[in-house]
């Protein structure tokens, strides 16, 4: 069965420091996609970054990068130079057909 | 433009009321989704429409009735809801079976 695990329920990070949010996954499908979403307290679910299982290079989008280690089945999100506006809930997800398998989420709080 | 809009932003309704949630996207996406999200939990998929046809119904109670009038619009009709249906309702769309783009959500309170 497909599964996403996020082991960090909450994290406190000092502003301007880099942050790594952990995500491991389990699937027997050779083709899959991995996603990170950010959900501020306002509720909107914001798409951050995508990594395909066949992609050779780690995905990057501005300050976000995805550290994809296929053999370890991990897809950690790295946020460089954190900002106060990065405080939010972060979800890792994996695609299966038209469905997303979600992790439990990590609540990130950036301290000034 | 990756915008999905949802109305209303907030909704309070009694258990005997009938109301509707509306979702709209103009990205040409062919799949649209309804999710229910409780506080501090990931979203739970309710329905998926693909090419304007209902393709997935995750055993949602019949008091929730989805409708896809055209490729840009998705409605969720609500009737005789229970207090435990209070949640954030998120709409999303996607072009493929991969990345989904979400709207801002409707915060529903059932009294």
């Amino acid at each position: 069965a497909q599964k996403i695990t996020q082991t960090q329920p909450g994290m406190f990070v000092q502003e301007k420091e880099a942050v790594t949010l952990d995500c491991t996954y389990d699937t027997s499908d050779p083709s899959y996609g991995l996603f990170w979403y950010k959900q501020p307290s306002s509720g909107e679910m914001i798409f951050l970054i995508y990594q395909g299982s066949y992609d050779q290079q780690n995905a990057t989008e501005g300050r976000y990068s995805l550290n994809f280690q296929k053999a370890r089945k991990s897809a950690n999100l790295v946020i460089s130079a954190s900002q106060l506006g990065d405080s939010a809930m972060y979800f890792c997800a994996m695609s299966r057909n038209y469905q997303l398998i979600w992790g439990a989420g990590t609540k990130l709080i950036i301290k000034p | 433009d990756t915008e999905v809009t949802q109305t209303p932003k907030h909704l309070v309704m009694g258990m005997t009321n009938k109301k509707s949630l509306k979702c709209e996207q103009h990205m040409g996406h062919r799949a649209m989704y309804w999710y229910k999200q409780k506080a501090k939990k990931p979203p739970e998929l309710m329905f998926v429409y693909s090419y304007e046809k209902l393709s997935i119904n995750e055993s949602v109670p019949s008091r929730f009735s989805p409708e896809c009038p055209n490729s840009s619009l998705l409605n969720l009709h609500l009737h005789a809801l229970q207090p435990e249906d209070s949640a954030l309702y998120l709409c999303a769309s996607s072009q493929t079976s991969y990345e989904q783009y979400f709207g801002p959500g409707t915060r529903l309170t059932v009294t």
Side-chain angles (χ1 to χ4, degrees):
Chain A
Q2 294 182 307
K3 187 179 178 182
I4 293 283
T5 302
Q6 293 180 254
T7 57
Q8 304 154 310
M11 287 184 72
F12 286 88
V13 173
Q14 201 67 38
E15 190 181 7
K16 300 182 184 176
E17 289 184 351
V19 182
T20 297
L21 303 182
D22 295 340
C23 173
T24 58
Y25 61 93
D26 189 17
T27 182
S28 55
D29 293 340
S31 177
Y32 52 88
L34 294 158
F35 306 83
W36 278 93
Y37 285 88
K38 171 185 178 182
Q39 189 174 39
S41 57
S42 59
E44 184 172 3
M45 191 71 76
I46 302 166
F47 167 69
L48 294 179
I49 198 165
Y50 162 78
Q51 179 84 40
S53 58
Y54 295 120
D55 293 342
Q56 296 295 314
Q57 294 193 336
N58 288 343
T60 60
E61 290 287 347
R63 292 187 300 114
Y64 304 107
S65 61
L66 199 153
N67 184 359
F68 182 45
Q69 299 191 36
K70 198 169 183 177
R72 294 186 177 184
K73 294 191 174 180
S74 75
N76 297 340
L77 177 70
V78 180
I79 307 174
S80 63
S82 58
Q83 302 171 356
L84 296 178
D86 294 332
S87 294
M89 195 77 170
Y90 288 81
F91 290 99
C92 179
M94 177 169 58
S95 60
R96 181 183 69 179
N97 295 326
Y98 280 86
Q99 300 191 48
L100 288 175
I101 311 299
W102 297 84
T106 295
K107 187 171 176 65
L108 175 64
I109 296 175
I110 307 299
K111 300 182 293 182
Chain B
D1 184 8
T2 56
E3 187 179 63
V4 177
T5 59
Q6 286 186 246
T7 55
K9 195 170 177 61
H10 300 274
L11 178 62
V12 180
M13 61 184 290
M15 289 188 285
T16 59
N17 291 159
K18 286 185 182 181
K19 296 286 184 182
S20 296
L21 309 185
K22 180 180 173 181
C23 174
E24 194 165 3
Q25 59 90 10
H26 293 287
M27 295 176 279
H29 290 174
R30 309 312 290 184
M32 296 185 76
Y33 311 75
W34 279 116
Y35 288 87
K36 174 184 177 180
Q37 187 179 23
K38 290 285 205 179
K40 300 181 182 179
K41 297 288 187 182
E44 300 171 33
L45 183 65
M46 300 174 72
F47 303 103
V48 180
Y49 273 83
S50 177
Y51 291 90
E52 300 169 45
K53 291 191 187 320
L54 183 64
S55 61
I56 296 175
N57 177 341
E58 290 288 344
S59 302
V60 178
S62 60
R63 57 186 183 268
F64 295 92
S65 176
E67 179 196 19
C68 189
N70 59 57
S71 60
S72 301
L73 278 175
L74 186 65
N75 298 321
L76 186 63
H77 303 298
L78 314 172
H79 174 54
L81 295 192
Q82 303 297 309
E84 59 264 29
D85 296 322
S86 298
L88 178 68
Y89 287 83
L90 292 164
C91 173
S93 70
S94 69
Q95 177 58 14
T96 66
S97 63
Y98 280 59
E99 61 259 36
Q100 297 180 19
Y101 294 92
F102 286 79
T106 294
R107 290 197 185 273
L108 174 67
T109 303
V110 181
T111 61

